[in-house]
Amino acid sequence: MAESQNETDLVPKRNSTSIVWTWFGFSSEDKEQTKVICKICRDTVRTSDGNTTNLFNHVRRQHPIHYANSHSHAKRRSDTCQPEANASSKLTQPLVTQSVNKVTPYEKTSKRWIEVTEAVTYYLAKDMIPIKNVENEGFKRLFKVIDPRYELPRRKFFNCTAIPRLYSECREKIEREVQTVRFFATASNLWSSRTSEPYLSLTIHYIHDWKICSATLQTIYTPEDHTGELIAQGLRDALQCWGLKEENMTCMTIDGGTNMVKALELNSWTCLPCFGYILHLAIEKSAKDPQVSRTVSVCKKVVSAFSFSWKKKQDLSQAQTEMKLPQQNLIRESATRWGSKLAMIERVSEQEKAISHVLQDDNKMRHLMPTWEDTHVMESIKKALCPLRDFTDALSEEEYVGVSYVKAVLHLLKVNLLNLDDEDSELTNMMKTTILNYLTEKYQDPTADALLDMASLLDPRFKSQYIDSDKKEGVQARAASELESMLDAQAHHQPPSTSWSLEMEEQSPPKKAKKKTLAGFFKTTGMASSTATMSAPPTLRQAIDAELKAYLSTPNANSEMDPLEWWRLNEGNFPRVSQLARKYLCVPATSAPSERVFSTGGNVVTCQRATLKPDKVDKLVFLAKNL
């Protein structure tokens, strides 16, 4: 009890961290804490300021049990503090080499520099970004923040090295793909850039692994007169440039221009008119009626009045709110898109009350208010054209088979959508009749009609359903003949046996004759002849006819099923007919794939890039469409 009391008389060392001070202290009267006293034996231990060696030696020699306890306690404490020590070590100042590496630019041959540069090149080409953007301050700062070690090359590098290299790689890839294709179709069209420079686009379409594939081959600069002869020569040169054979091209889809039609006639190529373009011309012809022309003109003037006046836009929005009409802007018509004309009429008809409410307060614009006659004509136009709107978009898809739909669509228009109805107005029936007659006339060409019949026959959803009854046998016979010629040509082009295989056959020992069995003595010449006749294999034409008959006897596929997926699943059952399906089902029904090059070209030749050379336009359009 006395010992415990004596220990409490000692005060601990101020600001101590060592465990040895557990057994040492100072007298309460020693304000300077210069005389160290052992709490166990009350001896005074001499030690310098801050040095604990003598203290540890005293405990180890005089009090070994306490020393052992202090050693194990210190170890546990060090183990407990080890994570904190590791954490603090991570916060130490980085090495000089590490700091230097963070600011040292990548080598131009390093993997990281090459990867980032290729990504920038792809971005410029795919998204049609002006190359001069790489020298803009904002673009440079972006890369400084993302990766300070990456030095963005200058504009000249991308223009003269990176983009041409990417073009070469992409072209080689497309060339390898198209060289493996036996049959293909193309689409072509003429267009002018923002700088009024004329171009001729060419796209290719083919079936690979039972999927529709397409690529933009060329954007040809055509500064000369667009005569049929020059266009024909340009298209032939384009195919030769890509190593494509004319005899392997099923057909070319065009917009129906006179010079394009003549060019294909000069080249003796099969021509298919663009369904979307023909439908556009048919609708434009039906819109030439005086009533329709006047109403369309009124709608255009109304749209212009609200498009160029922010005050009227504001008043229209307020009127829409008051009348609980949809908050929508009016739509302008595009001269080359009949669907935009219909959309304009629909929007004006929908907002007619709000439009009249705004215009009636303006003396100068009051005459533009739609009358009851205009409203009646707009309703008639909508009744005639609305059912046709979805067909153009559906037939213009590049990833799906469209050519076999043309016959089905024409039949549907004739018996349903454009069928005259007594409940429709006289104007609606007149427009329906004009459109249907124009479409029927344009698809009366024997060559185009034969191609559409063949495509319909090879579509497992339709087969001969939409082929005229008096033509069915002729179409089937033509399919068998074409398939026979195709297979004969394929057999003649097979490589002959090598000399090595012939030598091996000559050197192989003769087969040992089999011993005649007892049954062999009873065979007669007549029986052997009859057996040989019965086992004779069918001719190629007989095999084709049988396979074609079997294909046509199978139930039609579901109308929602992809015909190429059906052929992928049934190619093993109809191996010969499937080759004919590859030839015809790749044909695009419209020239929309080629027309989409126009939009890409417009995004390439912008106001900021109006001085691009034609060869550069060709490369940039090629990359934007094919990457």
Side-chain angles (χ1 to χ4, degrees):
M1 185 71 179
E3 182 178 351
S4 176
Q5 181 67 31
N6 291 336
E7 286 184 11
T8 58
D9 292 341
L10 300 178
V11 296
K13 179 178 174 58
R14 293 187 295 268
N15 301 325
S16 62
T17 58
S18 177
I19 193 175
V20 75
W21 292 106
T22 307
W23 296 277
F24 293 91
F26 299 91
S27 173
S28 58
E29 298 177 354
D30 187 3
K31 302 299 182 182
E32 299 295 332
Q33 294 190 348
T34 57
K35 187 178 180 180
V36 181
I37 301 173
C38 178
K39 294 181 180 180
I40 304 172
C41 63
R42 307 296 292 182
D43 287 345
T44 301
V45 182
R46 297 179 61 182
T47 179
S48 59
D49 186 23
N51 195 340
T52 59
T53 303
N54 289 343
L55 304 181
F56 273 110
N57 289 336
H58 174 81
V59 176
R60 180 170 57 82
R61 292 170 185 168
Q62 303 299 328
H63 316 289
I65 297 176
H66 292 80
Y67 178 78
N69 292 336
S70 68
H71 183 70
S72 61
H73 180 71
K75 183 179 180 182
R76 288 195 301 270
R77 183 178 178 185
S78 64
D79 293 342
T80 304
C81 298
Q82 186 66 30
E84 298 179 1
N86 291 339
S88 62
S89 64
K90 294 181 180 179
L91 300 176
T92 57
Q93 184 175 0
L95 299 176
V96 176
T97 55
Q98 295 176 345
S99 300
V100 172
N101 288 337
K102 287 183 178 180
V103 297
T104 302
Y106 293 117
E107 293 289 337
K108 298 294 180 66
T109 56
S110 65
K111 181 180 179 182
R112 175 63 177 170
W113 188 89
I114 294 174
E115 288 178 346
V116 177
T117 304
E118 289 179 349
V120 175
T121 306
Y122 182 92
Y123 163 68
L124 295 174
K126 183 63 178 177
D127 293 345
M128 297 166 282
I129 305 298
I131 301 177
K132 72 179 186 63
N133 282 15
V134 300
E135 295 182 351
N136 292 348
E137 291 301 322
F139 201 74
K140 292 180 180 179
R141 179 173 174 78
L142 173 66
F143 279 92
K144 284 296 181 184
V145 174
I146 294 176
D147 193 344
R149 297 184 61 187
Y150 178 74
E151 285 189 346
L152 189 65
R154 296 185 65 82
R155 172 182 180 178
K156 183 177 180 181
F157 172 82
F158 289 102
N159 196 28
C160 301
T161 303
I163 295 292
R165 182 191 301 144
L166 183 61
Y167 171 79
S168 299
E169 294 173 356
C170 187
R171 182 184 174 95
E172 290 175 1
K173 177 184 176 182
I174 299 296
E175 281 181 340
R176 288 194 300 268
E177 291 181 1
V178 299
Q179 290 300 326
T180 61
V181 177
R182 183 176 182 188
F183 297 110
F184 62 91
T186 56
S188 183
N189 217 327
L190 289 162
W191 60 282
S192 297
S193 68
R194 186 184 298 269
T195 56
S196 299
E197 292 179 330
Y199 290 92
L200 177 67
S201 61
L202 179 65
T203 60
I204 185 173
H205 309 267
Y206 54 92
I207 294 176
H208 175 70
D209 195 21
W210 290 112
K211 291 182 179 179
I212 290 285
C213 300
S214 61
T216 299
L217 297 184
Q218 278 189 271
T219 304
I220 310 167
Y221 179 55
T222 55
E224 298 85 3
D225 293 338
H226 295 164
T227 62
E229 291 77 9
L230 291 178
I231 295 176
Q233 183 61 46
L235 292 174
R236 285 198 306 270
D237 293 342
L239 292 184
Q240 293 174 4
C241 179
W242 285 86
L244 299 172
K245 297 180 180 179
E246 299 179 20
E247 57 269 21
N248 292 343
M249 184 174 69
T250 306
C251 85
M252 177 177 285
T253 305
I254 60 175
D255 61 1
T258 306
N259 51 357
M260 293 293 295
V261 173
K262 183 178 180 180
L264 268 62
E265 290 177 352
L266 293 174
N267 289 339
S268 300
W269 294 351
T270 303
C271 167
L272 180 67
C274 169
F275 182 86
Y277 183 72
I278 297 300
L279 181 59
H280 174 78
L281 295 180
I283 293 173
E284 289 297 317
K285 185 176 182 179
S286 68
K288 291 181 179 180
D289 181 85
Q291 299 180 71
V292 177
S293 299
R294 181 193 178 282
T295 302
V296 171
S297 177
V298 169
C299 291
K300 287 182 180 180
K301 292 177 181 178
V302 168
V303 173
S304 297
F306 284 89
S307 297
F308 298 105
S309 173
W310 66 268
K311 182 67 170 60
K312 283 189 172 52
K313 279 186 178 181
Q314 189 178 39
D315 294 341
L316 179 63
S317 177
Q318 185 177 356
Q320 290 170 342
T321 303
E322 294 175 355
M323 299 179 179
K324 297 181 180 181
L325 293 173
Q327 292 283 336
Q328 294 177 331
N329 294 326
L330 302 182
I331 299 175
R332 297 182 66 88
E333 179 198 13
S334 174
T336 58
R337 297 289 183 268
W338 70 267
S340 64
K341 177 181 297 187
L342 176 61
M344 176 186 68
I345 293 173
E346 286 181 321
R347 185 61 51 83
V348 172
S349 177
E350 175 191 76
Q351 303 291 336
E352 188 268 332
K353 292 183 179 179
I355 292 171
S356 299
H357 179 75
V358 175
L359 293 180
Q360 69 181 357
D361 296 332
D362 190 340
N363 294 330
K364 295 182 179 180
M365 296 291 181
R366 189 176 300 172
H367 66 282
L368 295 179
M369 291 174 54
T371 63
W372 68 269
E373 294 178 348
D374 295 327
T375 303
H376 175 71
V377 172
M378 284 190 285
E379 292 299 325
S380 299
I381 294 174
K382 291 192 296 180
K383 192 72 177 293
L385 300 185
C386 281
L388 306 177
R389 178 163 39 198
D390 297 333
F391 287 110
T392 303
D393 295 336
L395 291 173
S396 300
E397 292 291 338
E398 294 184 48
E399 295 82 8
Y400 305 101
V401 175
V403 64
S404 57
Y405 262 121
V406 176
K407 279 281 184 177
V409 168
L410 291 175
H411 180 267
L412 182 63
L413 294 177
K414 183 178 181 179
V415 302
N416 189 354
L417 301 181
L418 295 181
N419 189 28
L420 302 183
D421 191 343
D422 294 337
E423 296 182 359
D424 291 339
S425 65
E426 183 179 350
L427 178 60
T428 298
N429 286 331
M430 184 277 297
M431 294 184 68
K432 287 182 176 181
T433 303
T434 303
I435 294 172
L436 184 60
N437 291 341
Y438 190 89
L439 289 173
T440 304
E441 176 187 352
K442 290 299 180 181
Y443 281 101
Q444 287 296 325
D445 178 70
T447 305
D449 186 64
L451 185 142
L452 295 176
D453 284 338
M454 190 69 74
S456 179
L457 181 74
L458 296 169
D459 191 320
R461 300 168 299 179
F462 308 133
K463 297 179 181 175
S464 58
Q465 179 179 354
Y466 298 109
I467 301 176
D468 296 339
S469 56
D470 58 335
K471 296 181 179 179
K472 290 183 179 180
E473 293 185 1
V475 172
Q476 296 177 21
R478 184 160 53 86
S481 300
E482 185 173 348
L483 193 53
E484 183 180 14
S485 301
M486 183 192 307
L487 296 176
D488 281 340
Q490 185 177 347
H492 292 152
H493 283 82
Q494 288 182 348
S497 302
T498 60
S499 57
W500 177 82
S501 62
L502 294 175
E503 291 176 1
M504 291 297 295
E505 292 178 1
E506 293 175 358
Q507 295 177 4
S508 59
K511 295 183 179 180
K512 188 176 180 180
K514 291 184 178 181
K515 187 175 181 180
K516 195 171 184 180
T517 62
L518 181 63
F521 290 97
F522 293 92
K523 288 183 179 180
T524 62
T525 305
M527 293 173 60
S529 177
S530 175
T531 303
T533 303
M534 292 177 62
S535 61
T539 62
L540 177 61
R541 182 56 182 262
Q542 291 173 339
I544 292 173
D545 290 338
E547 184 175 313
L548 187 60
K549 183 178 180 181
Y551 161 71
L552 294 175
S553 64
T554 58
N556 287 7
N558 187 285
S559 59
E560 296 293 333
M561 186 174 188
D562 183 359
L564 298 185
E565 178 64 17
W566 188 94
W567 276 112
R568 188 185 67 81
L569 298 174
N570 294 273
E571 181 179 12
N573 298 329
F574 312 106
R576 299 181 182 89
V577 181
S578 65
Q579 296 188 44
L580 205 60
R582 288 180 183 272
K583 178 178 180 180
Y584 282 96
L585 296 184
C586 66
V587 176
T590 70
S591 60
S594 182
E595 291 179 3
R596 291 189 180 104
V597 178
F598 304 174
S599 301
T600 304
N603 292 330
V604 169
V605 188
T606 61
C607 295
Q608 296 176 332
R609 311 171 83 180
T611 59
L612 280 175
K613 302 293 183 171
D615 60 331
K616 185 67 69 174
V617 173
D618 179 26
K619 292 180 180 179
L620 292 176
V621 172
F622 178 86
L623 290 174
K625 294 295 293 182
N626 296 323
L627 283 177

